[in-house]
Amino acid sequence: MIEMSKFIIPEDVLKVSEGLESAGFEAYLVGGCVRDLIIGRTPKDWDITTNATPEKIQEIFPETFYENIYGTVGVVGESEDPTLKIIEVTPYRKEGTYSDARRPDTVEFGVSLEEDLKRRDFTVNAMAYRPKTGELVDQHGGHEDAKKRLIRAVGEPKVRFEEDALRMMRGVRLSAELGFAIEQKTAEAIHETSEQLSKISKERIRDELIRIIETKEPMQALFVSQKLGLLKHISPSLEHGIGIDQNQAHSFDVFEHLLRALQHSADKEWPFIIRLSALFHDVGKPATRRWSEEKKDWTFHGHEVVGARMTRKALTELRFPSETIEKATNLVRWHMFFSDPDKITLSAVRRMIANVGQENIWDLLNLRICDRIGTGRPKEQPFRFRKYKSMVEEALRDPVSVAMLAINGADIMSHLDEKPGPRIGWMLHALLEEVLEDPEKNTKEYLLEKTRVLTNLEDKVLRAMGEEGKEAKAEAEGEELATIRAKYHVD
Ligand code: ATP
Ligand code: MG
């Protein structure tokens, strides 16, 4: 037996269940939240099922909304917590026949709780818990499966996947999120029914893919998706890399390399965009692979250009938002940047930053790390990579120069009786020295005031002041670089 008294159910949820019960109805927590309570995970949302009709539910609670065909009424609470703000209350319901592998032809209300649980996808998702009595309704063995850490379809798996093909992806995703295995018969049924996933809209497939990528174990989940025949309906271009061996620097075929790169980004808990780019970064390799007699090895020239095009196409097909498509495509396009700090110039680093865009440069460097780890034979080069990063930071920062000043040569000439010529440069450098000493002085008012003094000085004196300014500038530059290098431990 499980100890239900250990369940921590938020007050806001209890309020809703008590509201229903005191009006004479049954109220059960159901689905994902019961599963999560049992395995000790924090529920993402709280669903309640009841024998009250949508109309009754709306009468019981002061603030509700109801705008769907499934009978779900959103009960609005007072909580600030987004997972508790709206508690969804749905009457027990039963689904009619499925003729399109996507959605029921009819839904029927006013059935029993048992009927309602039967329509649910997996046993761990098909339990209900009644806070009033502490009773757990578990007619499909969900509690046992939760203990065994198994994803098992409710009823006949093949029939359930034929009703709604998205359940197959939900199963894989759930198994990745929870770290559960897919039960044998359920996995076999997915394998046999996988073709049906092609009937599901790309948007729904995309949403499940996003959730898979965001789990801790996306590599495993995508391997399983491939084995069970789902991946070709998720994003077929990923499968082209299966069995495509790479050059000497790699231990794995292209497919496994992509998954390992993705897995590293997940291990690092990096943002979604890096994970997605890691998954696609070498997708252009199969199409560009050539044997080089000279090197006695495979080459993949231009795979990043082809790969960027394929990434754009794949993500467009999955209806990703254009911002995501552009960002991932861009990272894939530039992932082959040359990064040997001993052989590269600062201006080459600057060009690289200009190519990928300043806002993307750190994501690109992280993608490179995933790529390196994903080879299975990463060359030990943390020092050189840090050195490269310090060069990037150096290239990114504004140089110490008279351009930092709040006034320029044109301002000086329009305020004073000065002509174009070396005196302007000397004045600016003299001002720069002061500003480096005290950045607060970098205002238009102060600097113009100061030029009224400088303009009275003869050339010789002014030149000397200008020279001093240049020295101060060189010193400041040196200090900034030393700071950057120290930060990356490459000084
Ligand atoms: P989470 O909220 O953590 O994503 P969940 O299990 O609550 O997980 P939801 O999508 O919120 O997932 O669905 C709530 C419940 O509805 C599920 O637990 C399951 O019982 C049922 N359910 C959802 N989608 C399906 C489906 N396609 N077929 C059958 N039952 C489903
Ligand atoms: Mg849920």
Side-chain angles (χ1 to χ4, degrees), residues 266-327:
D267 292 343
K268 288 285 182 186
E269 299 184 21
W270 279 335
F272 178 73
I273 192 70
I274 298 178
R275 299 181 186 213
L276 187 65
S277 311
L279 176 59
F280 280 92
H281 78 280
D282 275 348
V283 76
K285 274 188 165 176
T288 53
R289 187 170 77 150
R290 304 280 179 275
W291 180 258
S292 161
E293 265 311 321
E294 191 188 321
K295 293 185 180 164
K296 296 273 180 270
D297 207 348
W298 295 106
T299 64
F300 300 90
H301 295 302
H303 77 269
E304 69 277 29
V305 177
V306 173
R309 221 161 34 225
M310 291 174 71
T311 302
R312 170 174 281 125
K313 182 165 172 279
L315 299 185
T316 304
E317 274 168 12
L318 283 165
R319 316 275 195 276
F320 271 95
S322 58
E323 196 193 329
T324 309
I325 299 175
E326 291 317 315
K327 211 161 170 171

Side-chain angles (χ1 to χ4, degrees), residues 246-404:
Q246 307 203 57
N247 58 32
Q248 312 270 323
H250 286 258
S251 305
F252 309 113
D253 68 9
V254 172
F255 180 59
E256 182 162 356
H257 169 62
L258 290 175
L259 296 194
R260 284 177 178 267
L262 164 64
Q263 186 56 47
H264 187 69
S265 64
D267 292 343
K268 288 285 182 186
E269 299 184 21
W270 279 335
F272 178 73
I273 192 70
I274 298 178
R275 299 181 186 213
L276 187 65
S277 311
L279 176 59
F280 280 92
H281 78 280
D282 275 348
V283 76
K285 274 188 165 176
T288 53
R289 187 170 77 150
R290 304 280 179 275
W291 180 258
S292 161
E293 265 311 321
E294 191 188 321
K295 293 185 180 164
K296 296 273 180 270
D297 207 348
W298 295 106
T299 64
F300 300 90
H301 295 302
H303 77 269
E304 69 277 29
V305 177
V306 173
R309 221 161 34 225
M310 291 174 71
T311 302
R312 170 174 281 125
K313 182 165 172 279
L315 299 185
T316 304
E317 274 168 12
L318 283 165
R319 316 275 195 276
F320 271 95
S322 58
E323 196 193 329
T324 309
I325 299 175
E326 291 317 315
K327 211 161 170 171
T329 302
N330 184 39
L331 291 174
V332 171
R333 170 63 185 87
W334 298 109
H335 83 270
M336 289 301 290
F337 66 94
F338 182 70
S339 66
D340 184 341
D342 300 327
K343 297 197 185 125
I344 199 171
T345 62
L346 202 55
S347 64
V349 176
R350 283 205 184 89
R351 268 198 306 281
M352 199 277 285
I353 297 172
N355 284 337
V356 73
Q358 258 190 47
E359 68 284 11
N360 301 316
I361 182 65
W362 300 109
D363 287 348
L364 185 68
L365 295 187
N366 285 343
L367 174 58
R368 166 60 59 88
I369 293 173
C370 298
D371 187 358
R372 233 160 43 76
I373 301 295
T375 61
R377 293 177 195 167
K379 279 196 242 136
E380 261 320 310
Q381 49 165 280
F383 175 78
R384 272 143 50 111
F385 195 66
R386 285 207 306 277
K387 195 160 165 195
Y388 185 80
K389 275 172 137 174
S390 107
M391 287 181 82
V392 168
E393 194 156 321
E394 185 176 334
L396 278 175
R397 84 191 213 297
D398 292 325
V400 177
S401 83
V402 292
M404 291 163 46

Side-chain angles (χ1 to χ4, degrees), residues 125-349:
N125 282 349
M127 293 179 276
Y129 173 73
R130 190 176 186 185
K132 184 181 171 184
T133 58
E135 170 203 13
L136 181 75
V137 181
D138 176 22
Q139 64 207 29
H140 304 285
H143 182 223
E144 198 54 34
D145 285 336
K147 275 203 294 203
K148 293 194 210 145
R149 306 174 68 80
L150 279 183
I151 300 295
R152 180 200 308 272
V154 169
E156 190 52 49
K158 198 151 184 294
V159 175
R160 305 309 311 286
F161 298 143
E162 275 163 1
E163 285 172 357
D164 176 0
L166 189 72
R167 288 175 186 153
M168 298 186 281
M169 256 193 107
R170 280 179 56 87
V172 173
R173 183 262 290 173
L174 212 54
S175 106
E177 278 181 346
L178 304 177
F180 284 20
I182 301 176
E183 177 271 333
Q184 184 69 21
K185 208 167 154 234
T186 300
E188 282 166 15
I190 294 178
H191 196 205
E192 285 165 33
T193 322
S194 58
E195 288 296 318
Q196 298 290 316
L197 188 62
S198 62
K199 296 196 178 151
I200 297 296
S201 80
K202 295 293 182 192
E203 286 83 351
R204 294 173 78 199
I205 291 179
R206 173 203 61 209
D207 288 345
E208 292 295 331
L209 176 63
I210 291 174
R211 292 187 67 169
I212 288 175
I213 291 176
E214 289 191 324
T215 64
K216 286 189 159 67
E217 301 289 346
M219 173 165 79
Q220 173 68 10
L222 290 177
F223 265 131
V224 169
S225 303
Q226 198 282 319
K227 288 263 181 294
L228 296 182
L230 297 173
L231 189 62
K232 57 173 159 311
H233 304 291
I234 299 173
S235 198
S237 56
L238 293 175
E239 287 205 353
H240 299 167
I242 295 174
I244 303 291
D245 288 332
Q246 307 203 57
N247 58 32
Q248 312 270 323
H250 286 258
S251 305
F252 309 113
D253 68 9
V254 172
F255 180 59
E256 182 162 356
H257 169 62
L258 290 175
L259 296 194
R260 284 177 178 267
L262 164 64
Q263 186 56 47
H264 187 69
S265 64
D267 292 343
K268 288 285 182 186
E269 299 184 21
W270 279 335
F272 178 73
I273 192 70
I274 298 178
R275 299 181 186 213
L276 187 65
S277 311
L279 176 59
F280 280 92
H281 78 280
D282 275 348
V283 76
K285 274 188 165 176
T288 53
R289 187 170 77 150
R290 304 280 179 275
W291 180 258
S292 161
E293 265 311 321
E294 191 188 321
K295 293 185 180 164
K296 296 273 180 270
D297 207 348
W298 295 106
T299 64
F300 300 90
H301 295 302
H303 77 269
E304 69 277 29
V305 177
V306 173
R309 221 161 34 225
M310 291 174 71
T311 302
R312 170 174 281 125
K313 182 165 172 279
L315 299 185
T316 304
E317 274 168 12
L318 283 165
R319 316 275 195 276
F320 271 95
S322 58
E323 196 193 329
T324 309
I325 299 175
E326 291 317 315
K327 211 161 170 171
T329 302
N330 184 39
L331 291 174
V332 171
R333 170 63 185 87
W334 298 109
H335 83 270
M336 289 301 290
F337 66 94
F338 182 70
S339 66
D340 184 341
D342 300 327
K343 297 197 185 125
I344 199 171
T345 62
L346 202 55
S347 64
V349 176

